[in-house]
Amino acid sequence: MSFPPPAFSDIAKASNDLITRDFYHAAAANLEVKSKAPNGVNFNVKGKSSHEGSTTGSIEGKYVNAPAGFSATQAWTTANVLNTKLEFDNQIANGLKAEVAADFIPSSKNIGAKINLTFKQPNFHGRAFVDLMKGPTANLDAVLGREGFLVGAEAGYDIEKAAITRYAAAVGYSVPQYSAAITASNNLSVFCAAYYHKVNSEVEAGAKATWDSKGSSNVGLEVAGKWRLDPTSFAKAKVNDRGIASLAYNVLLRSGITVGAGISLDTQKLNESAHKVGTHFEFSG
């Protein structure tokens, strides 16, 4: 049986997740609290404290009616932005998901409105994101897949000017044990090659190389690994070509309580205060 391929932005998802996710040094502290009300409404409260001292957060409620293919999400951020999203899955056509999203800033009365469409079929995954208030503009992407091979393209379009504003392309190969992808973004000027390998049930490895043809002649390189220490914990490490090394540890203390800690070290400036430490706390129930 054929399955839909990943979205264009997820062609290199396995390697990108390994290199970017669960490294907690980017913020001094992160807190996330998830809960579910008896009526099925999911609540999610997030808070983040940056290394510069600023604090941001949001509270979100989401109602899901899976049999009807409908969900509604309402969020309020500390920047005083109200975000509303309505999702309709398989209601208009089989394989089509439609989203209507709006944001409102009470202090300035600014309003934003977007319509997002996702269409999935065997061997095809297409998306359209239309910003009704800016332009309007549209971002379109599509991916074709067959037997693990992937090819995709993305384009930005200004509807008012009837002009293409940006474009990108990607090819890849993905199976459960490993994946590889090459992407060309920024109007085919920034090239990225990514690789992911699930060595076994306990070890994962990946790397990503990036070259900006309009910028530096140097190639940026990141290498990362993940080790499953036991069923409730794992450790991650990565290093890049600039000598920045990052370490992270995540553990499930008990059901519903997860703690993470991370550190980033500038190995070329070990005697300077260029290092970062962060923590992450997640509670769910």
Side-chain angles (χ1 to χ4, degrees), residues 59-81:
I59 180 170
E60 176 185 285
K62 183 174 184 178
Y63 169 76
V64 179
N65 188 334
F70 171 77
S71 67
T73 305
Q74 179 67 60
W76 191 16
T77 72
T78 52
N80 197 20
V81 178

Side-chain angles (χ1 to χ4, degrees), residues 41-128:
V41 177
N42 295 288
F43 292 96
N44 190 354
V45 180
K46 297 180 181 179
K48 177 188 293 186
S49 176
S50 71
H51 291 287
E52 291 73 29
S54 61
T55 300
T56 59
S58 65
I59 180 170
E60 176 185 285
K62 183 174 184 178
Y63 169 76
V64 179
N65 188 334
F70 171 77
S71 67
T73 305
Q74 179 67 60
W76 191 16
T77 72
T78 52
N80 197 20
V81 178
L82 294 169
N83 298 312
T84 303
K85 182 167 67 174
L86 304 177
E87 301 173 76
F88 306 89
D89 198 3
N90 292 318
Q91 296 301 296
I92 303 173
N94 186 34
L96 178 64
K97 180 179 180 180
E99 298 177 359
V100 179
D103 56 75
F104 174 63
I105 305 177
S107 59
S108 62
K109 305 299 189 295
N110 288 339
I111 299 175
K114 298 179 180 179
I115 295 177
N116 305 323
L117 302 173
T118 301
F119 185 60
K120 297 181 183 181
Q121 292 292 306
N123 305 319
F124 177 80
H125 192 148
R127 301 185 302 174

Side-chain angles (χ1 to χ4, degrees), residues 177-259:
Q177 294 77 23
Y178 61 90
S179 64
I182 298 176
T183 60
S185 58
N186 286 22
N187 299 339
L188 307 184
S189 66
V190 177
F191 299 89
C192 177
Y195 175 73
Y196 168 84
H197 184 200
K198 186 176 181 63
V199 181
N200 53 47
S201 60
E202 299 176 351
V203 179
E204 301 172 41
K208 181 171 70 172
T210 305
W211 176 56
D212 187 345
S213 64
K214 294 183 178 180
S216 171
S217 60
N218 297 327
V219 175
L221 179 64
E222 291 181 282
V223 180
K226 178 179 178 179
W227 296 266
R228 175 66 65 178
L229 305 176
D230 56 53
T232 62
S233 65
F234 63 83
K236 297 185 72 173
K238 70 176 179 178
V239 64
N240 63 27
D241 61 292
R242 301 185 306 277
I244 307 298
S246 303
L247 303 171
Y249 175 74
N250 178 289
V251 59
L252 178 65
L253 295 180
R254 55 178 296 181
S255 178
I257 302 177
T258 303
V259 176

